Amino acid sequence: MSRDPELPGGYQDADLQQSALERAGARSAALRRRGICDHGWLLAPAGEPARCLHCGAVFADAEAAYEARREVRS
Ligand SMILES: [Zn+2]
């Protein structure tokens, strides 16, 4: 992995990516505590209905599940 000397404080892209992932995870967990699932853990076999493994919701396909996720997160 190459180092980027232009980022402040010695942070690197991986640090920023990790931080974004942690924020997304914290937001998802906060929603679930309020009883709102953002369907972030999907079982979506190609050509079959997608199922959220957090809440059990079933969607027509993976794209329908992603659309529902976007609506919750927006
Ligand atoms: Zn769900």
Side-chain angles (χ1 to χ4, degrees):
M1 188 169 74
S2 63
R3 291 190 62 79
D4 183 348
E6 295 186 3
L7 286 171
Y11 287 105
Q12 296 297 298
D13 283 346
D15 298 315
L16 304 178
Q17 290 164 356
Q18 180 67 30
S19 173
L21 281 173
E22 288 174 5
R23 280 197 307 277
R27 191 168 57 234
S28 181
L31 284 170
R32 260 200 311 286
R33 278 194 298 275
R34 289 163 48 203
I36 301 168
C37 184
D38 67 356
H39 315 305
W41 186 22
L42 291 174
L43 178 66
E48 293 182 33
R51 186 161 55 95
C52 175
L53 298 179
H54 281 305
C55 72
V58 176
F59 305 91
D61 56 19
E63 187 50 45
Y66 296 145
E67 178 60 31
R69 179 186 298 174
R70 281 190 292 271
E71 285 174 15
V72 170
R73 290 183 179 177
S74 63

